[in-house]
Amino acid sequence: MPRHPSRQAEISWGDHIVPIGGGAPVCVQSMTNTDTVDAIGTAIQVKELARAGSEIVRITVNTPEAAAAVPAIREQLDRMSVNVPLVGDFHYNGHTLLRDYPECAQALSKFRINPGNVGKGAKRDKQFAEMIEVACRHNKPIRIGVNWGSLDQDLLARIMDENAQRAEPWHPQSVMAEALITSAIESARKAEEIGLPGNQIILSCKVSQVQALIAVYRELARRCD
């Protein structure tokens, strides 16, 4: 099957590089279900996932204690010669954690940002920018993960208003898809404006209905690389 041409991101730790996009094979990513604060337990599970075939492993970074534990997790993995890249899953306080724990930012190979969970109102752009600036400073790629369950409500209201003005309004599922796609692309553009190279941005959209998800990705691919 022909693949849509896209830029290639590199998720790396040390000399080990996992390419994503740009013709690279689809890679396997898993996520731990441990408490990240438990550095030993988390490192052991990451090692087990890597041995099972996970090429990238995502860990939750949701508290100061979790952020402080990330370098220790990375150190334990390095001692076990496990070079699988770690992705930090951030939500409402990611800007604060990345700012206050620079060793956490350095130990991670990629940041996962959900634009709908970085703040509300005037804080949203500022806090999103702070996370992107850290990514630029540490030369880390990011995944902009847009989720139907946590969309930017201001953006959704804007798209719903635009839909109401159409001579023939779209079906609600089409409005949902447009909101997901618009959020992903607008967030990526903001990240590029701040200074993050386009080949360090990975886009992700999440919706539970499979056919709707396929439609979203097809349209997202049509609009960007």
Side-chain angles (χ1 to χ4, degrees):
M1 180 181 293
R3 295 177 63 177
H4 178 77
S6 62
R7 308 184 201 189
Q8 185 170 102
E10 293 185 345
I11 317 304
S12 63
W13 183 252
D15 295 332
H16 180 61
I17 298 173
V18 179
I20 294 180
V26 174
C27 71
V28 176
Q29 174 174 297
S30 300
M31 185 172 184
T32 58
N33 62 5
T34 57
D35 183 349
T36 306
V37 176
D38 177 7
I40 300 297
T42 300
I44 289 172
Q45 191 174 93
V46 171
K47 179 181 180 180
E48 292 171 346
L49 288 168
R51 284 186 169 178
S54 184
E55 298 165 90
I56 302 172
V57 177
R58 191 166 117 205
I59 60 177
T60 298
V61 186
N62 58 342
T63 65
E65 293 77 13
V70 171
I73 294 168
R74 183 72 265 174
E75 182 180 358
Q76 288 294 328
L77 292 170
D78 291 344
R79 287 178 180 177
M80 295 185 289
S81 299
V82 179
N83 58 3
V84 62
L86 295 177
V87 177
D89 192 1
F90 295 97
H91 286 286
Y92 305 96
N93 58 352
H95 63 292
T96 300
L97 298 179
L98 286 171
R99 180 193 66 211
D100 294 346
Y101 295 89
E103 291 184 354
C104 167
Q106 185 57 43
L108 294 169
S109 296
K110 179 160 70 86
F111 306 155
R112 193 271 193 187
I113 305 173
N114 181 342
N117 286 342
V118 296
K120 296 182 179 180
K123 291 183 178 179
R124 182 182 300 109
D125 288 348
K126 178 178 181 295
Q127 292 174 181
F128 178 79
E130 288 177 11
M131 297 185 76
I132 299 303
E133 287 165 358
V134 174
C136 292
R137 191 155 59 246
H138 291 274
N139 192 30
K140 304 290 183 176
I142 64 164
R143 189 190 91 165
I144 294 175
V146 184
N147 191 328
W148 173 241
S150 55
L151 265 174
D152 175 350
Q153 293 302 301
D154 291 340
L155 181 145
L156 180 58
R158 186 188 88 201
I159 291 176
M160 291 176 69
D161 288 344
E162 292 172 354
N163 187 54
Q165 300 302 316
R166 291 189 174 94
E168 296 184 9
W170 292 351
H171 185 276
Q173 185 167 299
S174 297
V175 175
M176 174 198 72
E178 182 62 25
L180 286 166
I181 295 162
T182 300
S183 178
I185 292 177
E186 288 187 356
S187 298
R189 286 174 177 161
K190 288 177 185 176
E192 287 186 305
E193 289 170 4
I194 293 166
L196 193 66
N199 65 348
Q200 287 189 297
I201 300 172
I202 297 169
L203 299 184
S204 168
C205 293
K206 293 171 69 176
V207 57
S208 58
Q209 209 280 327
V210 175
Q211 294 303 321
L213 185 66
I214 292 171
V216 165
Y217 273 113
R218 282 177 172 163
E219 181 61 18
L220 184 64
R222 189 184 70 81
R223 295 196 206 176
C224 71
D225 61 354

